[in-house]
Amino acid sequence: MKALADLTNRAMNLTAVLASLGALAMMLHICAEVVSRNLFGAPIPATVEIVSQYYMVLLAFLPIAWLERRGGMVSVEAIDFLLSPGVRRWSDVAVSLVSAVIYAGLAYTTWLVALKNFATGTFVTALEVAVPTWPTYFLPPLGFALAVLVTLFRAVALASGETDTRAQEVF
């Protein structure tokens, strides 16, 4: 169990780093496109498509598990103050399990979509440049699958009595 938790933490941190590098690459790409278009009158082909099909998907889906682990997802605690600490803990276990089931459903569904797009070789055309988009369809199932592991680990940790299941250190 410890080895799986360590592997999940490494994968989660790696995806967060990749998403950060994606944000940096997106900024550089957009800046280069603006400079090229305004100074040289020659825009970089398919910039909009690459930003929307690659960078944005990378930024939206890869850090999901990292956010879950850090406690950065939206939560509503409307009646938590009414619950005893024991009931609150089991409520948190139930929420973690429901989250894991939802993430698993999303991972499975997006995996099927990724396989379909891989098989058809999905691409977009911009300024007569074909940009393959099928690889980006594999990013959401990866992010959701890691989120499943994180929420399951949180449920186990809470059930065993841990009070704070958020990561104290990122790397």
Side-chain angles (χ1 to χ4, degrees):
M1 182 76 162
K2 172 100 170 85
L4 183 58
D6 289 342
L7 181 64
T8 301
N9 280 332
R10 283 192 200 116
M12 178 181 60
N13 288 338
L14 177 63
T15 58
V17 168
L18 288 175
S20 300
L21 292 174
L24 180 62
M26 181 175 66
M27 289 187 306
L28 293 173
H29 189 157
I30 291 171
C31 288
E33 201 280 333
V34 169
V35 168
S36 177
R37 183 185 48 199
N38 289 326
L39 290 181
F40 308 117
I44 297 173
T47 296
V48 172
E49 289 75 12
I50 291 171
V51 167
S52 62
Q53 297 290 325
Y54 278 85
Y55 300 130
M56 296 308 275
V57 173
L58 183 82
L59 292 172
F61 293 104
L62 278 190
I64 289 175
W66 184 79
L67 284 169
E68 273 290 348
R69 181 74 169 117
R70 301 277 302 164
M73 296 301 272
V74 174
S75 66
V76 178
E77 299 168 349
I79 61 169
D80 262 10
F81 68 94
L82 297 173
L83 304 176
S84 69
V87 173
R88 187 177 310 129
R89 181 169 55 106
W90 287 107
S91 169
D92 290 344
V93 169
V95 167
S96 293
L97 292 174
V98 168
S99 297
V101 168
I102 291 169
Y103 282 134
L106 290 168
Y108 176 74
T109 303
T110 55
W111 177 254
L112 294 179
V113 171
L115 291 177
K116 184 182 107 187
N117 284 295
F118 171 72
T120 59
T122 304
F123 66 93
V124 295
T125 305
L127 299 175
E128 299 180 24
V129 174
V131 180
T133 58
W134 64 264
T136 62
Y137 284 91
F138 288 96
L139 296 174
L142 174 62
F144 290 135
L146 284 171
V148 169
L149 291 175
V150 168
T151 52
L152 287 176
F153 285 136
R154 181 173 52 234
V156 169
L158 287 167
S160 66
E162 278 190 43
T163 56
D164 186 11
T165 60
R166 293 176 299 152
Q168 299 303 315
E169 294 182 24
V170 179
F171 300 101

